[in-house]
Amino acid sequence: MLTSGGTPAPDAPVLRTGGVPLVPPGFTWPACAECEGAMQFIAHLPLDDGAVAVFYCQNAGMCDDWDATSGANRAFLFTEELQAAEVPTEGDTLLGAVTLLHPEAAPAPDDVVLGQLGGEPEWIQNDETPTCPRCAAPMTFTAALEEGLHHDTAANFGCGCGYVFTCRDCSEAAFLWQR
């Protein structure tokens, strides 16, 4: 389980929601394929061999931001050296707060669970494991993200849960959410 561990620096290379994404040099901030607006950065997930950055469209109700293949969300698996991204000046591009996430096998009774790292996904609806766009193999579940501590500073999954998947062989990542 992932629990809240305080507030790190916005560009800290730690497991967190919010803040500024860490990206390779030359990175272009993703835009929604449906409305063309700048996506919102929601999570930085360090892995043994890289890091995943998760983004999704904040044009609620207009774009299919829950679908892993709609183009209204993006997850990137980076394996190179990373730096803080240049944040677009227009659009709802950052969450209202940065939250450090602690992986814990057995959270304390008063801990707020904010997700899960590895293991098997606990689907709210049906299994929607995406396939890798390069090799067509089922992707590996990497993390689940709950909305967050406060509605005004958290990702909006319609009271649902976000799911992050990777294909490490192809350096691909995917994101979707369910409610």
Side-chain angles (χ1 to χ4, degrees):
M1 296 292 150
L2 297 173
T3 61
S4 174
T7 305
D11 60 352
V14 296
L15 186 62
R16 62 182 162 83
T17 59
V20 176
L22 298 178
V23 299
F27 177 80
T28 301
W29 197 278
C32 176
E34 295 182 26
C35 73
E36 300 179 1
M39 290 188 191
Q40 183 177 65
F41 171 70
I42 58 173
H44 175 78
L45 308 170
L47 305 172
D48 292 339
D49 54 352
V52 176
V54 182
F55 297 79
Y56 81 134
C57 183
Q58 279 300 286
N59 206 348
M62 290 187 59
C63 303
D64 296 336
D65 59 351
W66 62 87
D67 185 336
T69 61
S70 71
N73 69 55
R74 282 296 308 267
F76 298 91
L77 175 56
F78 300 127
T79 57
E80 54 268 79
E81 189 171 323
L82 304 177
Q83 62 189 26
E86 185 174 323
V87 179
T89 57
E90 304 232 351
D92 189 8
T93 56
L94 301 176
L95 291 179
V98 184
T99 303
L100 179 66
L101 300 175
H102 278 297
E104 297 184 30
D110 59 340
D111 283 341
V112 176
V113 175
L114 297 175
Q116 167 189 342
L117 193 60
E120 293 295 321
E122 293 183 23
W123 295 104
I124 293 173
Q125 298 177 10
N126 297 318
D127 183 336
E128 291 185 58
T129 300
T131 57
C132 176
R134 289 190 190 187
C135 71
M139 296 179 91
T140 301
F141 174 69
T142 303
L145 301 169
E146 300 292 333
E147 285 195 346
L149 297 173
H150 305 287
H151 73 281
D152 57 340
T153 62
N156 178 8
F157 304 137
C159 296
C161 182
Y163 303 89
V164 180
F165 291 83
T166 56
C167 178
R168 294 195 180 170
D169 290 341
C170 298
S171 295
E172 291 285 343
F175 175 75
L176 63 105
W177 63 270
Q178 296 181 343
R179 67 179 173 134

